[in-house]
Amino acid sequence: MLLFVCAANRDDTHFEDPETLDLPRRPNRHLSFGTGPHGCIGAALVRVQASTALRALLTRFPHLRVCADVPPTRNAALGFHGFTSLTVDARA
């Protein structure tokens, strides 16, 4: 058995356009923090930390946008999914 963490939350039968980062996606039945007896004990803390960090970032840089003319570089490491670079612009 081989566990691919990068495959979590990417099932196109459950998520419309799973390749797109859509923070307010609804419904969003993700598996990020597990469920039931296997649920993450720190999930509530992580949610508070993430919302605090994002609120501070967007307050400091209210016009923050991903640069459409610079393609992001995806992480090619086996077992992980994400970006190694994502160019942003904070100008109004």
Side-chain angles (χ1 to χ4, degrees), residues 2-16:
L2 184 57
L3 176 66
F4 281 102
V5 176
C6 64
N9 305 321
R10 306 184 63 71
D11 184 348
D12 60 5
T13 62
H14 290 281
F15 298 99
E16 184 177 326

Side-chain angles (χ1 to χ4, degrees), residues 21-83:
L21 175 62
D22 182 5
L23 296 178
R25 177 180 283 149
R26 298 288 183 258
N28 191 6
R29 296 179 52 219
H30 63 81
L31 302 173
S32 297
F33 296 117
T35 184
H38 303 289
C40 175
I41 194 168
L45 177 60
V46 171
R47 287 185 175 109
V48 169
Q49 289 174 327
S51 66
T52 301
L54 288 172
R55 189 177 303 112
L57 178 68
L58 295 175
T59 298
R60 174 72 173 91
F61 302 103
H63 302 288
L64 190 67
R65 300 287 181 267
V66 174
C67 291
D69 57 334
V70 181
T73 305
R74 290 201 178 264
N75 186 351
L78 183 63
F80 292 96
H81 181 78
F83 300 109

